[in-house]
Amino acid sequence: MAMFRKKQPVLEYQESTPRSRRLYDRALKVMPGGTTRTSVYFLPYPPYISKGRGCHLWDVDGTRRIDFVNNYTALIVGHAHPQVVRVVREAIARGFAFASPTESEIRLAQIIQERVPSVEQLRFVNSGTEAAMFALRAARAFTGRQKIAKFEGGFHGTYDLTQVSVRTPVEKLGPKESPLSVPEAAGIPQETADQVVVLPFNDQEKVQRILKRHSGQIAALIVEPIPAMAGMIPPRNGFLSFLRDITQREGIVFILDEIITLRVHPGGAQSLYGVKPDLTLMGKIIGGGFPVAAFGGRKEIMGLLDPRSGAPAIPHPGTYNGNPVGMAAGMPP
Ligand SMILES: Cc1ncc(COP(=O)(O)O)c(C=O)c1O
């Protein structure tokens, strides 16, 4: 019987994407590896996109594809949703960046606060990385402690303190009782990684033991309620409530990274699982697909950013914070 030989998928891809190939060759001359974002690169080269509508993407060679990525979950209503396009057009026409506040930032903050009651106050930033950086800084300032605790495999953006033990090769993980703190990138000093206490997810006994060992030294414990990059692992046996209780007892600021999980419930995963963090990180969907993120929570902690009594303990400038186009895109019409 004659064997039917399927074409190699990579060959098929290359044959159907000559324009992407040419663009990639140009990109190689101006960007390292031809890309400006590690997470969109893959071999032999990524498809270059000409447009997106709803759940579909068209590449520059005219092939239509279903987009299962949706810019890593940021596009909850898909590509170029007509209502988002309309409010963004209207916002741009009014002017798209001011060195002054606009009402739109108050309205988006109020919507978030109504949905996520643990967020008594918040600040807008431009990326989840920034949100994590400021939340950890606030936790350190609030507690006067240096160390932070995070989970093995937990991704919270590209700030040095969170880029520890994210995709650690198995041989470098260390013992289960005390996982090693492994810098994720060249250029992150081991001294920085040593400030990070690494914990195993869903293992109450080991978490308890490790936190006890560092008692009085940990400023913040940061966790994704359902760790996404680690494989969308649901918390088991009340793990998040356990973390809430133990951080409360140990005087540790409990930070929930809801940058992806905010979408699992109108009030985020914290409403779904019934836990109240001290601080929450938000991003992706809150900007309707635009670069908007936020961190917020208890008023006493957020008060460290309050400039009313002179220089705030934590200054927080940022050219694009609360920019009115992103604010408009994030608001349901
Ligand atoms: C859970 C989580 N936290 C933080 C970040 C960092 O966000 P950004 O890429 O906006 O810096 C991401 C990004 O994918 C994320 O998934």
Side-chain angles (χ1 to χ4, degrees):
M1 195 170 77
M3 291 282 283
F4 174 70
R5 287 178 71 102
K6 252 187 124 184
K7 226 187 240 177
Q8 289 267 339
V10 174
L11 276 183
E12 205 174 297
Y13 173 74
Q14 284 172 315
E15 278 172 18
S16 64
T17 53
R19 287 192 171 149
S20 285
R21 166 89 248 178
R22 283 201 291 277
L23 288 177
Y24 184 64
D25 287 342
R26 270 172 61 197
L28 278 171
K29 299 199 173 93
V30 285
M31 285 174 265
T35 183
T36 195
R37 187 176 172 192
T38 317
S39 49
V40 301
Y41 172 75
F42 63 85
L43 280 167
Y45 51 86
Y48 281 71
I49 302 305
S50 64
K51 68 173 183 186
R53 288 278 182 284
C55 67
H56 288 116
L57 289 173
W58 282 261
D59 71 18
V60 290
D61 289 286
T63 303
R64 189 180 77 161
R65 302 168 195 280
I66 297 176
D67 185 3
F68 289 102
V69 183
N70 284 292
N71 200 19
Y72 288 95
T73 76
L75 298 165
I76 196 164
V77 290
H79 295 280
H81 189 284
Q83 283 172 343
V84 178
V85 172
R86 179 172 60 76
V87 294
V88 165
R89 277 209 177 111
E90 287 168 6
I92 289 174
R94 288 190 295 269
F96 39 79
F98 310 111
S100 295
T102 62
E103 188 185 344
S104 61
E105 67 197 41
I106 309 170
R107 284 171 47 219
L108 185 57
Q110 281 174 333
I111 290 169
I112 292 171
Q113 194 192 46
E114 275 161 25
R115 292 189 184 184
V116 191
S118 73
V119 176
E120 294 168 4
Q121 294 196 321
L122 65 79
R123 279 285 176 98
F124 288 109
V125 286
N126 307 286
S127 70
T129 294
E130 262 184 282
M133 179 181 81
F134 276 104
L136 292 172
R137 184 174 294 166
R140 281 172 146 184
F142 186 71
T143 58
R145 301 174 181 176
Q146 290 304 307
K147 290 187 183 173
I148 70 138
K150 77 173 282 288
F151 286 87
E152 226 168 20
F155 178 68
H156 307 286
T158 51
Y159 175 46
D160 281 12
L161 265 184
T162 58
Q163 282 271 280
V164 174
S165 299
V166 181
R167 293 179 198 233
T168 315
V170 176
E171 64 278 11
K172 288 192 182 164
L173 288 173
K176 277 193 179 155
E177 295 66 36
S178 57
L180 296 175
S181 303
V182 184
E184 192 67 14
I188 298 176
Q190 185 61 49
E191 295 80 59
T192 302
D194 290 343
Q195 299 288 310
V196 181
V197 175
V198 180
L199 306 167
F201 194 72
N202 270 339
D203 190 332
Q204 300 193 15
E205 207 187 302
K206 290 201 184 71
V207 168
Q208 190 157 8
R209 242 183 285 143
I210 297 170
L211 291 183
K212 269 269 164 278
R213 221 181 295 144
H214 299 269
S215 193
Q217 299 172 59
I218 298 177
L221 182 147
I222 184 169
V223 64
E224 255 191 292
I226 309 165
M229 191 186 272
M232 295 305 287
I233 305 166
R236 297 218 170 82
N237 305 323
F239 189 64
L240 296 177
S241 302
F242 156 78
L243 291 178
R244 173 63 287 185
D245 292 345
I246 196 164
T247 49
Q248 192 120 39
R249 279 203 306 278
E250 291 286 329
I252 297 170
V253 175
F254 183 38
I255 304 176
L256 277 189
D257 179 345
E258 294 246 43
I259 285 168
I260 286 185
T261 57
L262 204 62
R263 61 189 288 147
V264 304
H265 185 279
Q270 55 194 270
S271 297
L272 189 67
Y273 291 105
V275 283
K276 192 172 177 205
D278 297 308
L279 293 176
T280 299
L281 313 184
M282 292 155 282
K284 303 208 192 274
I285 64 169
I286 67 165
F290 280 71
V292 176
F295 63 102
R298 280 169 56 194
K299 224 172 164 175
E300 310 94 280
I301 305 177
M302 295 305 291
L304 292 163
L305 292 102
D306 187 335
R308 282 176 297 179
S309 56
I314 301 179
H316 178 225
T319 306
Y320 301 107
N321 292 355
N323 100 79
V325 180
M327 298 295 105
M331 256 177 290

